[in-house]
PDB file of all heavy atoms in Angstrom:
ATOM      1  N   ILE A   9     -14.615   1.517 -12.936  1.00 98.00           N
ATOM      2  CA  ILE A   9     -15.816   1.485 -12.036  1.00 98.00           C
ATOM      3  C   ILE A   9     -15.905   2.909 -11.381  1.00 98.00           C
ATOM      4  O   ILE A   9     -14.990   3.374 -10.739  1.00 98.00           O
ATOM      5  CB  ILE A   9     -15.640   0.492 -10.973  1.00 98.00           C
ATOM      6  CG1 ILE A   9     -15.326  -0.922 -11.592  1.00 98.00           C
ATOM      7  CG2 ILE A   9     -16.909   0.363 -10.086  1.00 98.00           C
ATOM      8  CD1 ILE A   9     -14.973  -2.057 -10.566  1.00 98.00           C
ATOM      9  N   GLY A  11     -18.067   6.894 -11.907  1.00 97.00           N
ATOM     10  CA  GLY A  11     -18.182   7.881 -13.001  1.00 97.00           C
ATOM     11  C   GLY A  11     -18.117   9.294 -12.470  1.00 97.00           C
ATOM     12  O   GLY A  11     -18.699  10.257 -13.082  1.00 97.00           O
ATOM     13  N   GLY A  12     -17.286   9.517 -11.378  1.00 97.00           N
ATOM     14  CA  GLY A  12     -17.125  10.838 -10.879  1.00 97.00           C
ATOM     15  C   GLY A  12     -15.744  11.456 -11.174  1.00 97.00           C
ATOM     16  O   GLY A  12     -15.053  10.993 -12.071  1.00 97.00           O
ATOM     17  N   GLY A  13     -15.352  12.365 -10.387  1.00 98.00           N
ATOM     18  CA  GLY A  13     -14.092  13.071 -10.653  1.00 98.00           C
ATOM     19  C   GLY A  13     -12.872  12.162 -10.570  1.00 98.00           C
ATOM     20  O   GLY A  13     -11.958  12.372 -11.384  1.00 98.00           O
ATOM     21  N   HIS A  14     -12.862  11.232  -9.614  1.00 98.00           N
ATOM     22  CA  HIS A  14     -11.688  10.395  -9.507  1.00 98.00           C
ATOM     23  C   HIS A  14     -11.575   9.458 -10.753  1.00 98.00           C
ATOM     24  O   HIS A  14     -10.481   9.284 -11.266  1.00 98.00           O
ATOM     25  CB  HIS A  14     -11.750   9.559  -8.201  1.00 98.00           C
ATOM     26  CG  HIS A  14     -10.514   8.837  -7.913  1.00 98.00           C
ATOM     27  ND1 HIS A  14      -9.289   9.433  -7.768  1.00 98.00           N
ATOM     28  CD2 HIS A  14     -10.205   7.482  -7.833  1.00 98.00           C
ATOM     29  CE1 HIS A  14      -8.317   8.569  -7.533  1.00 98.00           C
ATOM     30  NE2 HIS A  14      -8.900   7.371  -7.611  1.00 98.00           N
ATOM     31  N   VAL A  33     -18.394   1.921 -15.614  1.00 98.00           N
ATOM     32  CA  VAL A  33     -19.545   1.279 -14.870  1.00 98.00           C
ATOM     33  C   VAL A  33     -19.998   2.246 -13.758  1.00 98.00           C
ATOM     34  O   VAL A  33     -19.287   2.491 -12.767  1.00 98.00           O
ATOM     35  CB  VAL A  33     -19.103  -0.072 -14.251  1.00 98.00           C
ATOM     36  CG1 VAL A  33     -20.362  -0.732 -13.678  1.00 98.00           C
ATOM     37  CG2 VAL A  33     -18.482  -0.971 -15.317  1.00 98.00           C
ATOM     38  N   SER A  34     -21.139   2.843 -13.960  1.00 98.00           N
ATOM     39  CA  SER A  34     -21.588   3.838 -12.995  1.00 98.00           C
ATOM     40  C   SER A  34     -23.119   4.119 -13.218  1.00 98.00           C
ATOM     41  O   SER A  34     -23.493   4.187 -14.432  1.00 98.00           O
ATOM     42  CB  SER A  34     -20.760   5.124 -13.087  1.00 98.00           C
ATOM     43  OG  SER A  34     -21.259   6.059 -12.141  1.00 98.00           O
ATOM     44  N   PRO A  35     -23.864   4.275 -12.144  1.00 97.00           N
ATOM     45  CA  PRO A  35     -25.282   4.585 -12.297  1.00 97.00           C
ATOM     46  C   PRO A  35     -25.477   5.972 -13.080  1.00 97.00           C
ATOM     47  O   PRO A  35     -26.428   6.130 -13.738  1.00 97.00           O
ATOM     48  CB  PRO A  35     -25.882   4.673 -10.937  1.00 97.00           C
ATOM     49  CG  PRO A  35     -24.742   4.635 -10.023  1.00 97.00           C
ATOM     50  CD  PRO A  35     -23.553   4.109 -10.754  1.00 97.00           C
ATOM     51  N   GLU A  36     -24.511   6.830 -12.943  1.00 96.00           N
ATOM     52  CA  GLU A  36     -24.571   8.082 -13.760  1.00 96.00           C
ATOM     53  C   GLU A  36     -23.129   8.604 -13.860  1.00 96.00           C
ATOM     54  O   GLU A  36     -22.227   8.373 -13.019  1.00 96.00           O
ATOM     55  CB  GLU A  36     -25.464   9.109 -13.061  1.00 96.00           C
ATOM     56  CG  GLU A  36     -25.076   9.372 -11.653  1.00 96.00           C
ATOM     57  CD  GLU A  36     -25.872  10.534 -11.011  1.00 96.00           C
ATOM     58  OE1 GLU A  36     -26.438  11.300 -11.738  1.00 96.00           O
ATOM     59  OE2 GLU A  36     -25.898  10.592  -9.768  1.00 96.00           O
ATOM     60  N   THR A  38     -20.889  11.740 -13.425  1.00 96.00           N
ATOM     61  CA  THR A  38     -21.051  13.047 -12.684  1.00 96.00           C
ATOM     62  C   THR A  38     -19.805  13.910 -13.049  1.00 96.00           C
ATOM     63  O   THR A  38     -19.709  15.046 -12.492  1.00 96.00           O
ATOM     64  CB  THR A  38     -21.209  12.803 -11.243  1.00 96.00           C
ATOM     65  OG1 THR A  38     -20.156  11.870 -10.759  1.00 96.00           O
ATOM     66  CG2 THR A  38     -22.545  12.204 -10.871  1.00 96.00           C
ATOM     67  N   ASP A  53     -23.155  -2.464 -11.467  1.00 98.00           N
ATOM     68  CA  ASP A  53     -22.027  -3.244 -11.185  1.00 98.00           C
ATOM     69  C   ASP A  53     -22.111  -4.676 -11.643  1.00 98.00           C
ATOM     70  O   ASP A  53     -21.127  -5.346 -11.954  1.00 98.00           O
ATOM     71  CB  ASP A  53     -21.690  -3.182  -9.648  1.00 98.00           C
ATOM     72  CG  ASP A  53     -21.123  -1.835  -9.225  1.00 98.00           C
ATOM     73  OD1 ASP A  53     -20.958  -1.022 -10.088  1.00 98.00           O
ATOM     74  OD2 ASP A  53     -21.062  -1.660  -8.063  1.00 98.00           O
ATOM     75  N   GLY A  71     -13.726   7.119  -5.689  1.00 97.00           N
ATOM     76  CA  GLY A  71     -12.790   7.768  -4.832  1.00 97.00           C
ATOM     77  C   GLY A  71     -13.035   7.417  -3.402  1.00 97.00           C
ATOM     78  O   GLY A  71     -13.750   6.439  -3.060  1.00 97.00           O
ATOM     79  N   SER A  72     -12.381   8.111  -2.541  1.00 92.00           N
ATOM     80  CA  SER A  72     -12.427   7.716  -1.201  1.00 92.00           C
ATOM     81  C   SER A  72     -12.469   8.933  -0.268  1.00 92.00           C
ATOM     82  O   SER A  72     -11.678   9.822  -0.400  1.00 92.00           O
ATOM     83  CB  SER A  72     -11.078   6.947  -0.882  1.00 92.00           C
ATOM     84  OG  SER A  72     -10.813   6.958   0.484  1.00 92.00           O
ATOM     85  N   MET A  73     -13.466   8.945   0.635  1.00 89.00           N
ATOM     86  CA  MET A  73     -13.626  10.041   1.592  1.00 89.00           C
ATOM     87  C   MET A  73     -13.937   9.362   2.940  1.00 89.00           C
ATOM     88  O   MET A  73     -14.422   8.250   2.972  1.00 89.00           O
ATOM     89  CB  MET A  73     -14.809  10.945   1.172  1.00 89.00           C
ATOM     90  CG  MET A  73     -14.496  11.719  -0.106  1.00 89.00           C
ATOM     91  SD  MET A  73     -13.029  12.791   0.020  1.00 89.00           S
ATOM     92  CE  MET A  73     -13.692  14.226   0.886  1.00 89.00           C
ATOM     93  N   LEU A  78     -17.548   2.503   0.048  1.00 97.00           N
ATOM     94  CA  LEU A  78     -17.884   1.945  -1.243  1.00 97.00           C
ATOM     95  C   LEU A  78     -16.673   1.518  -2.027  1.00 97.00           C
ATOM     96  O   LEU A  78     -16.612   0.410  -2.669  1.00 97.00           O
ATOM     97  CB  LEU A  78     -18.738   2.999  -2.044  1.00 97.00           C
ATOM     98  CG  LEU A  78     -19.163   2.510  -3.483  1.00 97.00           C
ATOM     99  CD1 LEU A  78     -20.091   1.287  -3.388  1.00 97.00           C
ATOM    100  CD2 LEU A  78     -19.880   3.608  -4.155  1.00 97.00           C
ATOM    101  N   HIS A 150      -6.131   6.610   1.568  1.00 98.00           N
ATOM    102  CA  HIS A 150      -6.192   7.740   0.639  1.00 98.00           C
ATOM    103  C   HIS A 150      -5.218   8.821   1.176  1.00 98.00           C
ATOM    104  O   HIS A 150      -5.479   9.482   2.220  1.00 98.00           O
ATOM    105  CB  HIS A 150      -7.595   8.287   0.513  1.00 98.00           C
ATOM    106  CG  HIS A 150      -7.727   9.400  -0.389  1.00 98.00           C
ATOM    107  ND1 HIS A 150      -8.770  10.302  -0.385  1.00 98.00           N
ATOM    108  CD2 HIS A 150      -6.919   9.914  -1.428  1.00 98.00           C
ATOM    109  CE1 HIS A 150      -8.636  11.207  -1.365  1.00 98.00           C
ATOM    110  NE2 HIS A 150      -7.520  10.956  -1.974  1.00 98.00           N
TER     111      HIS A 150
HETATM  112  O1  JB2 B   1     -22.395   1.418  -6.278  1.00 90.41           O
HETATM  113  C1  JB2 B   1     -21.844   2.058  -7.221  1.00 90.41           C
HETATM  114  C2  JB2 B   1     -21.870   3.515  -7.152  1.00 90.41           C
HETATM  115  N1  JB2 B   1     -22.405   4.454  -6.315  1.00 90.41           N
HETATM  116  C3  JB2 B   1     -22.018   5.651  -6.826  1.00 90.41           C
HETATM  117  N2  JB2 B   1     -21.235   1.513  -8.213  1.00 90.41           N
HETATM  118  C4  JB2 B   1     -20.561   2.268  -9.251  1.00 90.41           C
HETATM  119  N3  JB2 B   1     -20.007   1.590 -10.220  1.00 90.41           N
HETATM  120  N4  JB2 B   1     -20.585   3.580  -9.226  1.00 90.41           N
HETATM  121  C5  JB2 B   1     -21.214   4.209  -8.137  1.00 90.41           C
HETATM  122  N5  JB2 B   1     -21.317   5.507  -7.980  1.00 90.41           N
HETATM  123  C6  JB2 B   1     -20.763   6.550  -8.819  1.00 90.41           C
HETATM  124  O2  JB2 B   1     -19.505   6.890  -8.357  1.00 90.41           O
HETATM  125  C7  JB2 B   1     -21.561   7.804  -8.796  1.00 90.41           C
HETATM  126  O3  JB2 B   1     -22.572   7.834  -9.754  1.00 90.41           O
HETATM  127  C8  JB2 B   1     -20.424   8.896  -9.231  1.00 90.41           C
HETATM  128  O4  JB2 B   1     -20.307   8.850 -10.665  1.00 90.41           O
HETATM  129  C9  JB2 B   1     -19.151   8.246  -8.598  1.00 90.41           C
HETATM  130  C10 JB2 B   1     -18.703   8.957  -7.389  1.00 90.41           C
HETATM  131  O5  JB2 B   1     -18.356  10.228  -7.744  1.00 90.41           O
HETATM  132  P1  JB2 B   1     -18.065  11.469  -6.708  1.00 90.41           P
HETATM  133  O6  JB2 B   1     -17.841  12.629  -7.639  1.00 90.41           O
HETATM  134  O7  JB2 B   1     -19.055  11.413  -5.625  1.00 90.41           O
HETATM  135  O8  JB2 B   1     -16.691  11.126  -6.049  1.00 90.41           O
HETATM  136  P2  JB2 B   1     -15.389  10.413  -6.534  1.00 90.41           P
HETATM  137  O9  JB2 B   1     -15.515   9.053  -5.968  1.00 90.41           O
HETATM  138  O10 JB2 B   1     -15.127  10.531  -8.010  1.00 90.41           O
HETATM  139  O11 JB2 B   1     -14.259  11.204  -5.826  1.00 90.41           O
HETATM  140  C11 JB2 B   1     -14.169  11.422  -4.456  1.00 90.41           C
HETATM  141  O12 JB2 B   1     -12.841  10.875  -4.070  1.00 90.41           O
HETATM  142  C12 JB2 B   1     -11.746  11.584  -4.620  1.00 90.41           C
HETATM  143  C13 JB2 B   1     -10.497  10.793  -4.292  1.00 90.41           C
HETATM  144  C14 JB2 B   1     -14.286  12.911  -4.366  1.00 90.41           C
HETATM  145  O13 JB2 B   1     -14.815  13.209  -3.126  1.00 90.41           O
HETATM  146  C15 JB2 B   1     -13.072  13.653  -4.752  1.00 90.41           C
HETATM  147  O14 JB2 B   1     -13.123  14.953  -4.258  1.00 90.41           O
HETATM  148  C16 JB2 B   1     -11.747  12.990  -4.311  1.00 90.41           C
HETATM  149  N6  JB2 B   1     -10.657  13.721  -4.983  1.00 90.41           N
END
Side-chain angles (χ1 to χ4, degrees):
I9 305 174
H14 190 60
V33 185
S34 181
E36 56 174 339
T38 49
D53 289 353
S72 158
M73 294 299 281
L78 182 60
H150 179 198

